[in-house]
Amino acid sequence: MAIEIIEIHHTGVRVDSEGRLLEATQDFYANVLGLHRDTGRPTIPGIPGAWINVGEVGQIHLIGGDQPSPVAKGPGEDPTRPHVAFAVASIVAARADLDRMGVKYWVIEGLTSPDSTQIFMNDPCGNMIELHQIDKCRCRASNRVPA
């Protein structure tokens, strides 16, 4: 049985490593596409960026900084690489399903909030996928309590 994905939550997009284009990129999303920054994005040491809200469900995560990032787990295991993130009802159940299926993955805990767990894996083409629990992120507008 496959993991049950509830919804797509965000797409991680790289900006330049120095962050020189971060403000211009935010302005593009705001002034050209009419999308605005989530002012509640936590400060992530060594990983500059911005989260851009897209409607009621979804964000674009603009991610800067050098690669590998300070939170990389090893070669190819860096959550700052471009990726797509999906919400699951239970990150614990999703992890158990991945173990049962023998899927290689890595875990980042406490990066975006003290109780967050993010699972990362690559599809057969090397595209990075993130799974996280639906109620532990700011991707849904209903979870975006002002910081």
Side-chain angles (χ1 to χ4, degrees), residues 96-105:
D97 287 340
L98 292 172
D99 288 340
R100 180 184 47 74
M101 292 184 279
V103 174
K104 182 182 182 307
Y105 65 89

Side-chain angles (χ1 to χ4, degrees), residues 39-107:
T39 58
R41 178 193 184 264
T43 299
I44 305 171
I47 306 174
W51 294 347
I52 307 298
N53 296 326
V54 182
E56 291 299 310
V57 178
Q59 292 184 323
I60 299 167
H61 289 186
L62 304 177
I63 306 168
D66 291 329
Q67 288 188 308
S69 75
V71 296
K73 295 288 188 172
E77 295 183 353
D78 190 338
T80 70
R81 290 180 31 229
H83 64 277
V84 62
F86 297 104
V88 297
S90 167
I91 199 71
V92 173
R95 194 170 184 175
D97 287 340
L98 292 172
D99 288 340
R100 180 184 47 74
M101 292 184 279
V103 174
K104 182 182 182 307
Y105 65 89
W106 65 98
V107 177

